[in-house]
Amino acid sequence: MCIAIPGMIKAIVDENTATVDMGGICRDVNMDLLGGATADLLGKYVLVHVGYAISEISKEESEETMRLLKQLSGLEDSNFFETGFSGEADVE
């Protein structure tokens, strides 16, 4: 099974890369499949799969997807998505 995580574009790194906040964890994501990283994408929401933004989505869809992921994982009452797997913020 494959899964894509929703996130908001926080910064443009270069013409191909943007920093995406996925539930409090920020990662640099390749934007080539969406035509590259441009300033008009700042603040927009995307689905990220294996380091690539694969689709632009609405804020509502992003929030609902994250809610469902938390519910499915049994973590809806935890801060897992804010701290990562080890309990430390922004784990590499």
Side-chain angles (χ1 to χ4, degrees):
M1 177 173 91
C2 297
I3 191 165
I5 305 297
M8 184 177 73
I9 299 172
K10 300 294 257 182
I12 303 301
V13 176
D14 59 36
E15 64 186 25
N16 303 310
T17 310
T19 301
V20 178
D21 181 343
M22 295 167 281
I25 298 171
C26 293
R27 294 286 183 253
D28 287 347
V29 172
N30 186 294
M31 302 297 292
D32 287 346
L33 297 174
L34 299 181
T38 57
D40 63 315
L41 291 174
L42 285 172
K44 295 200 175 171
Y45 293 82
V46 293
L47 286 176
V48 178
H49 177 65
V50 295
Y52 286 82
I54 60 172
S55 177
E56 188 176 334
I57 60 173
S58 69
K59 178 181 180 181
E60 295 77 23
E61 187 176 2
S62 175
E63 290 170 348
E64 178 65 4
T65 301
M66 188 62 78
R67 185 189 71 74
L68 290 170
L69 288 171
K70 287 179 180 182
Q71 183 180 13
L72 287 169
S73 66
L75 297 169
E76 62 266 59
D77 293 325
S78 78
N79 66 349
F80 174 82
F81 285 96
E82 285 76 33
T83 60
F85 290 98
S86 72
E88 298 176 16
D90 210 21
V91 176
E92 292 286 331

